[in-house]
Amino acid sequence: MPQSEFAFLDSYDWPFVETVFTVSHKYLNYWVHSDCNTPFAHSETIMSRSLHSNFRCSTSSSSASPIPRLNEANKSNTAVLKFEETKERIKKMFNKVELSVSSYDTAWVAMVPSNSGQHPFFPQCVNWLLENQHSDGSWGLPHCHPLLMKDALLSTLSSVLAMKRWNVGEKQIDKGLYFIEENLASAIDEKQYSPIGFDVIFPMMIDYAKNLDLNISLEPSNYVDLIHNREMSLKRASESYSEGHEAYLVYISEGLGKPLDCERVMKYQRKNGSLFNSPSTTAVAFTHFGNADCLKYLCSVVDKFGSAVPTVYPLDIYAHLSMVDNLQRLGIERYFKDEIRSVLDETYKYWLQGDECVLLDASTCAMAFRLLRVNGYDVSSDPLIQFSEDYIFNYLGNHTKDIDAVLEIFRASEIIIHPDESILEKQNFWTSHFLKQELFSMSTRENKLNKNIGKVVSEALKIPFYANLERLASRRAIEYYDTDSMRILKTSYCSLNVRNKDFLMLAVEDFNMCQSIHREELKHLSRWVVENRLDKLKFARQKLAYCYFSAAATLSSPELSDARISWAKNGVLTTVVDDFFDVGGSEEELLNLIQLMEKWDVDVSVDCLSEQVEIVFLALRGTISEIGAKAFMWQGRSVTNHIIEIWLDLLKSMLKEAQWLKYETVPTIDEYMKNGYISFALGPIVLPALYLVGPKLSEDVTRHSEIHYLYKLMSTSGRLLNDIHSFKRESKEGKLNAVSLNLLVHASCFGSGSSSEEETINEMKSVVGAKRRELLRLVFKEKDSIVPRACKDLFWKMSQVLHLFYANDDGFTSNEMINVTKAIIEEPITDSNLKSRI
């Protein structure tokens, strides 16, 4: 062992650290005030030393004018202030759900009669309609999209009917009728987006207007088309006896004319008294059946919103879950840990209670399941069984076209952690099929309301959850993010909690800030390679960019710099060592390297057999000492010996494989896998990083079987993935791997030709899938787990890296990663990319 674990600090690359914080010092206050258990929160640390040095250099230079530095400081302070203000605005949004009111639903509530039938029960709603007509004569959300004219027609006609019902607002009625007549052609325009039930509801309201002696000039051919569309829609619904169609008819019951059977309708009443949380549907039900709970719901909604009502209420659980989902997708969830935990705790309580506010809506239920499960809550997939293929196709598919709901179910179906979750497997099958069909349909027509939905669906289908690296996912989420929060039910509505410009602005700033740090770290690593003469090893592949990419794409937060550097350096060194044992060194040199690692304190000028051995050993010793010293600062104890052990395990496993090849020894498949999961070389990359992500780990924890099992699951999957994708190449080189050994086993047991290469590979892929699910189950597991979640996440993050790298071919040698590497490390997100959305 070295005399001092901190000896490396004397020659440490302090200019690198200072450069990093020159780039990002304006964000320091987020780090040192974070709740992470890191040495950054203390004075007299590497960070504070570098910052003090940085500030001295900035203020004492005699050659530079102080004015530009002062201006730069002012800009930095302004940026910090804006960043903090944006964070605070988002935090306040957790306290209140902002929901637009609906002219359409307010009109139906306004038409509810009092007990005498001579006056409106809710006169304040009538007054609101009188006061909120737009200048063009319409009602509805302001700044109506040109393709939402059907929505405007519905809102306007319902408002006109409400005022005519109570003989008020003659001037407003005339303006409204003029707007309807001018835009009536849109009612049969197939290019227009249709609110749910439009084809049924709008023609009925036209007839209702005639009964009220409202004169609407309507071309006979247009009226025929409207009636035809209505009859066809009702015919489709009446021919099906599915639950989805039944629910659809009740939901749009204001468009049916004659009331449905009371029992048929009221079976959809919720605990809050509403039907489908819809004020318009509930108003019609109360008008027809006089249900007291319906009235109680309507009164509560009117009281809450004053004199108008939204088209859906309550929306709190969905809105808050959407906030959590968006913040996590955009990569800025670490700023809102307490708020997110509060939302998930509340949602979990409702989930355990089987509360309808979580379980009845497809989008809410699927999102709740996914977010709860991935955040460590123990939830069953059973509630998702109600959202069957028949239900979605007959209800959502035919009527609402709610691709968002199907996408949520698809995302939920990816989070399989138990071997018997057939519910999720079935839903994954049909939702992926449905989304592929929708994607094909999108390719033939432009979605002008959400231009990026096709890209979102395509990415979801192309990159599964288990291969979706967090920083890549965040970049795509930022690029595809639509700040328009509008959605369409029976009418359009929006909620700032669901989508918000502040989310995007904070995400862009955070992404670019982290990326600036990543670029400086990569420069430091490039110098490290040269300083350690690793570039002089002609046998070694130069994979620094990929090694660092895998770190930056999975451990992106600024405070994880030590973990990233450790991950990347050990990644480079495992590649060098792998090539050294594979092609670069003789058996004597390999043995010599192992002996040097075992002795540790050696005279390299005497004890190294060759310059190659010396370069590799010195790089290993220096890096291990450096990581050990950093880990000491995080852990408060020495872990260098453990890191040396991890490396020795790898070197000995690689020696065994080299000797198998040299002496043409054919191991059994069990012998191969027992050695192979270690020789795959993930141990030195992942295990030392456990010490650098926050939690303090006792020796009992780091030596515990739980960590070894996580490591074995991750590494076994990686070994099998590698062997599947490199089988043909390695076969030509005369090397054995898991595929060839399995083929030999089948041949020896059942004769040649008993198992094809394809069958063997498919069997191995099934094993990989099982290992992956078991790994994910253990990562999510909180009860009876002694390993902190932050540490378990590293095993899953590496698994995701492997699945991405091996997605198509032997990914670690593929040039396909160049573009994604640039996107994460080199190319910032610029204002010009986002002008249309910020």
Side-chain angles (χ1 to χ4, degrees):
M1 296 298 107
Q3 292 181 350
S4 170
E5 196 164 17
F6 298 98
F8 84 98
L9 290 175
D10 294 332
S11 59
Y12 189 65
D13 188 5
W14 290 112
F16 151 67
V17 181
E18 294 170 5
T19 304
V20 169
F21 289 100
T22 298
V23 172
S24 57
H25 71 270
K26 64 182 178 180
Y27 301 101
L28 176 64
N29 59 320
Y30 304 135
W31 302 2
V32 299
H33 293 105
S34 71
D35 58 1
C36 296
N37 179 21
T38 89
F40 298 139
H42 307 286
S43 60
E44 303 305 319
T45 62
I46 290 180
M47 180 179 290
S48 61
R49 176 178 169 184
S50 65
L51 281 167
H52 295 159
S53 173
N54 224 7
F55 294 149
R56 283 198 303 273
C57 293
S58 297
T59 57
S60 63
S61 173
S62 60
S63 60
S65 169
I67 301 301
R69 295 180 186 277
L70 184 60
N71 290 337
E72 183 179 348
N74 289 335
K75 289 180 180 178
S76 295
N77 290 335
T78 301
V80 170
L81 182 61
K82 287 183 178 180
F83 198 85
E84 278 294 333
E85 289 174 346
T86 304
K87 280 172 54 183
E88 288 306 311
R89 284 196 300 272
I90 294 174
K91 286 185 177 183
K92 289 179 180 178
M93 290 173 61
F94 280 97
N95 300 323
K96 183 180 180 181
V97 173
E98 298 286 348
L99 189 59
S100 63
V101 293
S102 160
S103 301
Y104 175 81
D105 287 81
T106 300
W108 282 103
V109 173
M111 283 187 268
V112 174
S114 63
N115 293 333
S116 67
Q118 301 302 310
H119 306 284
F121 200 105
F122 299 102
Q124 63 269 53
C125 292
V126 179
N127 291 333
W128 185 90
L129 294 172
L130 289 168
E131 296 168 1
N132 284 274
Q133 186 177 32
H134 298 314
S135 59
D136 63 356
S138 70
W139 278 266
L141 289 180
H143 313 298
C144 178
H145 193 284
L147 292 178
L148 286 177
M149 197 56 65
K150 289 182 180 180
D151 179 32
L153 288 170
L154 268 182
S155 296
T156 303
L157 184 52
S158 61
S159 299
V160 167
L161 292 175
M163 287 182 288
K164 183 64 176 179
R165 171 75 173 80
W166 305 116
N167 292 315
V168 296
E170 182 177 350
K171 185 181 297 184
Q172 288 91 335
I173 290 174
D174 289 342
K175 287 182 66 178
L177 291 176
Y178 178 79
F179 174 85
I180 293 170
E181 291 171 355
E182 287 293 304
N183 295 280
L184 205 50
S186 297
I188 55 173
D189 185 351
E190 294 183 355
K191 295 179 181 179
Q192 288 281 328
Y193 284 83
S194 290
I196 298 174
F198 177 86
D199 287 342
V200 175
I201 297 171
F202 189 71
M204 189 284 301
M205 290 201 302
I206 292 287
D207 288 342
Y208 185 27
K210 291 181 179 178
N211 293 335
L212 292 176
D213 295 325
L214 286 170
N215 184 24
I216 300 178
S217 299
L218 182 65
E219 290 289 335
S221 60
N222 289 346
Y223 183 73
V224 170
D225 289 338
L226 286 171
I227 296 301
H228 172 75
N229 291 341
R230 171 183 164 83
E231 290 175 349
M232 292 301 296
S233 182
L234 290 173
K235 182 179 179 181
R236 285 194 300 270
S238 64
E239 289 176 349
S240 172
Y241 297 97
S242 73
E243 183 69 17
H245 278 303
E246 177 82 352
Y248 168 70
L249 289 176
V250 175
Y251 181 59
I252 63 164
S253 56
E254 66 264 37
L256 300 181
K258 296 181 181 179
L260 296 170
D261 176 72
C262 179
E263 183 177 346
R264 184 180 176 187
V265 171
M266 298 312 294
K267 72 176 183 178
Y268 293 102
Q269 187 172 40
R270 301 188 176 183
K271 291 179 182 178
N272 61 14
S274 77
L275 279 78
F276 306 102
N277 288 337
S278 167
S280 55
T281 305
T282 308
V284 172
F286 174 70
T287 301
H288 289 155
F289 309 121
N291 182 275
D293 288 333
C294 286
L295 179 60
K296 188 181 297 184
Y297 167 79
L298 293 173
C299 289
S300 69
V301 179
V302 172
D303 288 344
K304 180 173 180 62
F305 288 87
S307 52
V309 299
T311 195
V312 57
Y313 179 81
L315 196 67
D316 295 36
I317 297 296
Y318 175 79
H320 283 140
L321 287 173
S322 294
M323 285 187 69
V324 173
D325 189 41
N326 278 317
L327 294 172
Q328 290 186 346
R329 287 187 184 283
L330 293 169
I332 51 177
E333 73 278 9
R334 67 185 183 279
Y335 298 116
F336 309 98
K337 290 181 180 179
D338 292 341
E339 291 80 6
I340 288 174
R341 178 57 61 181
S342 178
V343 168
L344 295 179
D345 284 345
E346 181 183 27
T347 304
Y348 188 53
K349 180 186 70 174
Y350 289 136
W351 184 280
L352 293 180
Q353 294 171 351
D355 199 297
E356 61 187 23
C357 68
V358 173
L359 301 184
L360 284 187
D361 175 69
S363 293
T364 306
C365 184
M367 195 189 313
F369 168 79
R370 174 173 53 84
L371 292 175
L372 288 173
R373 176 166 278 191
V374 300
N375 284 282
Y377 296 83
D378 184 15
V379 289
S380 167
S381 57
D382 289 347
L384 295 176
I385 196 171
Q386 63 182 307
F387 306 114
S388 64
E389 181 177 4
D390 174 71
Y391 179 89
I392 296 298
F393 284 172
N394 289 326
Y395 180 35
L396 295 174
N398 286 347
H399 300 298
T400 72
K401 297 294 184 185
D402 192 353
I403 195 170
D404 289 328
V406 182
L407 185 58
E408 282 300 338
I409 298 172
F410 171 75
R411 286 169 171 163
S413 72
E414 291 189 291
I415 318 299
I416 301 175
I417 60 174
H418 300 296
D420 56 348
E421 291 193 303
S422 59
I423 295 171
L424 297 181
E425 291 175 351
K426 291 178 181 177
Q427 288 186 326
N428 186 266
F429 176 79
W430 73 256
T431 52
S432 60
H433 179 71
F434 180 88
L435 291 172
K436 288 174 184 176
Q437 287 184 321
E438 285 296 303
L439 198 59
F440 176 77
S441 178
M442 289 177 203
S443 68
T444 61
R445 57 176 171 82
E446 182 181 6
N447 189 326
K448 294 183 179 179
L449 291 183
N450 188 347
K451 296 180 179 180
N452 291 317
I453 185 62
K455 295 177 182 178
V456 172
V457 171
S458 178
E459 290 290 343
L461 292 170
K462 180 181 177 182
I463 305 177
F465 169 74
Y466 56 79
N468 206 6
L469 307 191
E470 64 178 37
R471 213 55 185 166
L472 272 177
S474 295
R475 171 126 197 174
R476 289 193 300 270
I478 292 170
E479 291 174 345
Y480 301 159
Y481 191 78
D482 187 357
T483 58
D484 186 355
S485 64
M486 189 193 67
R487 300 187 69 188
I488 304 177
L489 293 173
K490 282 190 285 190
T491 186
S492 58
Y493 73 98
C494 58
S495 171
L496 293 180
N497 302 76
V498 176
R499 289 192 177 274
N500 192 288
K501 291 181 180 179
D502 282 338
F503 295 174
L504 183 60
M505 292 171 64
L506 189 70
V508 171
E509 184 78 3
D510 178 77
F511 185 94
N512 289 340
M513 179 267 288
C514 291
Q515 189 184 68
S516 68
I517 297 171
H518 298 163
R519 283 197 298 269
E520 295 304 322
E521 288 176 350
L522 185 56
K523 292 177 184 177
H524 157 71
L525 289 166
S526 298
R527 292 194 296 270
W528 168 80
V529 168
V530 174
E531 290 165 0
N532 283 272
R533 297 183 291 163
L534 297 176
D535 58 326
K536 303 299 183 183
L537 298 173
K538 298 190 181 301
F539 61 81
R541 292 166 291 167
Q542 300 299 314
K543 293 294 180 181
L544 171 60
Y546 289 151
C547 292
Y548 183 71
F549 162 78
S550 70
T554 54
L555 302 167
S556 58
S557 299
E559 66 271 15
L560 297 179
S561 178
D562 285 346
R564 282 193 299 275
I565 296 297
S566 170
W567 182 295
K569 287 184 176 180
N570 281 323
V572 170
L573 289 175
T574 55
T575 304
V576 169
V577 168
D578 181 48
D579 291 342
F580 185 55
F581 276 72
D582 197 19
V583 296
S586 65
E587 185 174 8
E588 290 76 16
E589 287 177 311
L590 307 186
L591 290 168
N592 180 222
L593 178 60
I594 292 174
Q595 291 167 356
L596 292 169
M597 289 290 292
E598 290 174 332
K599 293 179 180 179
W600 194 254
D601 287 320
V602 297
D603 183 349
V604 292
S605 64
V606 175
D607 296 331
C608 293
L609 285 181
S610 66
E611 184 182 14
Q612 288 188 150
V613 173
E614 178 183 331
I615 292 174
V616 174
F617 173 69
L618 286 177
L620 285 170
R621 188 170 69 175
T623 303
I624 291 171
S625 298
E626 173 190 320
I627 294 170
K630 288 182 178 180
F632 186 92
M633 298 175 66
W634 287 80
Q635 299 296 320
R637 67 184 183 89
S638 176
V639 300
T640 302
N641 285 350
H642 185 214
I643 301 173
I644 295 171
E645 289 178 25
I646 293 167
W647 268 103
L648 278 169
D649 286 342
L650 173 62
L651 298 180
K652 291 175 181 179
S653 69
M654 287 182 167
L655 176 64
K656 182 175 288 188
E657 288 188 352
Q659 290 174 336
W660 284 342
L661 181 62
K662 179 178 180 179
Y663 299 111
E664 298 183 351
T665 302
V666 180
T668 66
I669 187 64
D670 290 338
E671 290 172 333
Y672 175 82
M673 290 306 302
K674 184 178 181 180
N675 188 75
Y677 82 87
I678 301 173
S679 67
F680 191 57
L682 298 183
I685 301 173
V686 175
L687 297 178
L690 298 177
Y691 293 118
L692 304 171
V693 293
K696 287 194 173 183
L697 304 173
S698 68
E699 187 171 358
D700 288 340
V701 171
T702 56
R703 305 270 183 185
H704 196 275
S705 59
E706 183 181 352
I707 278 188
H708 183 76
Y709 190 37
L710 289 162
Y711 165 53
K712 187 173 182 179
L713 286 169
M714 169 194 69
S715 297
T716 300
S717 295
R719 168 54 68 192
L720 293 176
L721 284 170
N722 176 81
D723 287 8
I724 289 169
H725 289 278
S726 63
F727 164 63
K728 292 182 178 179
R729 173 175 55 80
E730 292 188 332
S731 294
K732 292 178 181 178
E733 297 172 356
K735 298 177 182 177
L736 292 172
N737 71 16
V739 178
S740 55
L741 287 174
N742 271 300
L743 287 171
L744 287 174
V745 169
H746 280 283
S748 63
C749 294
F750 307 105
S752 60
S754 61
S755 179
S756 69
E757 176 186 323
E758 182 179 0
E759 290 171 335
T760 299
I761 289 176
N762 286 336
E763 289 175 5
M764 290 172 59
K765 286 181 178 179
S766 296
V767 173
V768 170
K771 299 287 185 187
R772 182 180 66 239
R773 292 179 182 182
E774 175 66 1
L775 175 61
L776 192 58
R777 184 186 69 81
L778 292 176
V779 170
F780 291 164
K781 182 181 178 183
E782 290 194 351
K783 186 178 180 181
D784 300 325
S785 174
I786 69 166
V787 183
R789 175 64 185 268
C791 297
K792 291 193 290 186
D793 280 341
L794 294 188
F795 296 98
W796 178 248
K797 290 175 188 295
M798 176 57 84
S799 177
Q800 289 179 302
V801 169
L802 297 171
H803 280 86
L804 179 67
F805 276 22
Y806 291 118
N808 298 316
D809 52 20
D810 192 357
F812 199 61
T813 60
S814 170
N815 289 326
E816 291 182 348
M817 298 304 299
I818 293 176
N819 289 336
V820 292
T821 301
K822 287 182 178 179
I824 295 302
I825 302 173
E826 297 180 20
E827 300 171 353
I829 300 174
T830 61
D831 292 341
S832 60
N833 302 136
L834 304 168
K835 279 182 179 177
S836 62
R837 289 180 282 151
I838 292 185

